[in-house]
Amino acid sequence: MFINNFDPIAIQFFSLEIRWYSLAYIFGILIGWLYCKKILIKDKNTSKLFDDLIPYLIIGIIIGGRLGYVIFYNLQYYLNNLIEIPMIWQGGMSFHGGLIGVIVSTIIYCKKQKLDKFIFLDLIAASAPIGIFLGRVSNFINSELYGRETNLPWSVQFQKIDNIYRHPSQIYEAIFEGIVLFILLNYVFRKSLYKSPGIISALFLIFYSIFRFCIEFTREPDIQIGYILFNLTLGQILSFLFLMFGLFLFYKKNES
């Protein structure tokens, strides 16, 4: 059993605080960007276009992630505290909201440039597990999104929360949504085991959703929401919806 008492602040210089969660976003984007440019992208023109897409993606992640959290997870609170909606430094980002933001920003960019959006969405999907891995590790450091009570040998006591030993659900997600998903998608991508652009994006939605849905059974539900339909969490409901969309996209792309 493990005691978690990590400091969420990575660097502090006088009153300036840089948190692990912020570093996870920064390095997730940077490493994913470099991985695509150095490993996945073979064409110089595509590489340049991908560079130009990055600012769109950053805006999409921030706006989508924040609005997703506000709308999906805490709408009533933010309706009564509108001034706090832009205060992302106080925490509160939704993965599914960020994913929608990435999709929308990529569509906007590709429509403007008259490009096939799925070429770039596949690149993003293949590199996204890097950022997911770093994000989940930072969730563990921050003692947030923690698991349900368990007596398993690898259980963790999050001292900033309580004295209960819990599943390290953040680490489960880092392993499956980060490492396993990265290996799977990049094997398919680099071996060209797909017929058309969009397959990697579909596989990302399918396998991320399956991993997230299953791991949520070990994760404590959000206190302000609890369980919803059929005793499932909101994360599981959203994952199911994204899974259905992923399966539909996979069918359409294999059909074409």
Side-chain angles (χ1 to χ4, degrees):
M1 295 183 177
F2 182 79
I3 305 296
N4 182 331
N5 196 27
F6 291 116
D7 187 347
I9 300 172
I11 303 169
Q12 184 165 5
F13 186 74
F14 295 107
S15 60
L16 176 65
E17 295 179 349
I18 301 176
R19 295 176 174 264
W20 290 108
Y21 197 69
S22 300
L23 292 177
Y25 270 86
I26 293 169
F27 282 101
I29 292 170
L30 285 176
I31 297 171
W33 179 16
L34 290 173
Y35 178 74
C36 286
K37 285 179 63 66
K38 302 297 183 182
I39 305 297
L40 300 182
I41 299 175
K42 306 302 181 183
D43 177 69
K44 288 185 178 180
N45 185 54
T46 302
S47 181
K48 175 63 171 62
L49 290 167
F50 191 73
D51 290 344
D52 295 338
L53 172 61
I54 296 299
Y56 287 78
L57 296 182
I58 293 172
I59 294 171
I61 290 170
I62 295 173
I63 295 178
R66 185 56 171 176
L67 290 182
Y69 180 78
V70 169
I71 296 169
F72 297 149
Y73 288 92
N74 225 342
L75 181 59
Q76 189 58 51
Y77 174 82
Y78 286 104
L79 285 177
N80 295 325
N81 300 274
L82 294 174
I83 196 171
E84 294 187 26
I85 292 178
M87 298 179 182
I88 59 174
W89 57 88
Q90 293 185 355
M93 297 285 280
S94 161
F95 172 82
H96 290 102
L99 178 56
I100 293 171
V102 165
I103 294 171
V104 171
S105 61
T106 303
I107 291 173
I108 291 172
Y109 172 78
C110 291
K111 186 173 182 180
K112 180 180 177 182
Q113 299 291 336
K114 296 180 173 59
L115 302 168
D116 183 350
K117 57 185 175 293
F118 285 112
I119 292 175
F120 295 92
L121 287 173
D122 282 355
L123 289 167
I124 296 166
S127 57
I130 298 170
I132 295 173
F133 173 82
L134 295 175
R136 293 313 183 196
V137 171
S138 70
N139 290 148
F140 181 78
I141 293 172
N142 289 350
S143 296
E144 59 192 6
L145 308 183
Y146 46 82
R148 305 179 194 181
E149 185 175 359
T150 182
N151 58 2
L152 289 170
W154 56 84
S155 62
V156 177
Q157 181 189 100
F158 296 92
Q159 287 194 334
K160 292 182 176 63
I161 306 301
D162 52 34
N163 295 322
I164 297 173
Y165 282 91
R166 301 175 176 277
H167 284 284
S169 55
Q170 313 97 322
I171 301 303
Y172 299 163
E173 292 193 71
I175 293 170
F176 285 95
E177 299 165 12
I179 297 171
V180 175
L181 188 58
F182 178 84
I183 293 171
L184 174 65
L185 294 179
N186 282 272
Y187 177 78
V188 175
F189 192 105
R190 297 181 70 180
K191 295 295 183 180
S192 299
L193 302 176
Y194 56 94
K195 295 181 180 178
S196 62
I199 294 295
I200 300 297
S201 300
L203 291 175
F204 174 89
L205 293 173
I206 291 168
F207 284 101
Y208 173 87
S209 299
I210 291 172
F211 293 150
R212 175 73 180 270
F213 186 92
C214 294
I215 294 171
E216 284 268 334
F217 284 113
T218 70
R219 180 168 149 180
E220 195 74 28
D222 296 273
I223 191 169
Q224 74 275 18
I225 299 175
Y227 297 101
I228 309 179
L229 190 65
F230 301 120
N231 215 32
L232 299 175
T233 66
L234 179 58
Q236 288 174 309
I237 300 296
L238 292 172
S239 294
F240 177 77
L241 295 176
F242 277 79
L243 172 62
M244 292 299 101
F245 180 71
L247 290 171
F248 172 77
L249 179 61
F250 186 79
Y251 170 76
K252 295 297 290 185
K253 287 299 175 180
N254 272 297
E255 189 181 47
S256 60

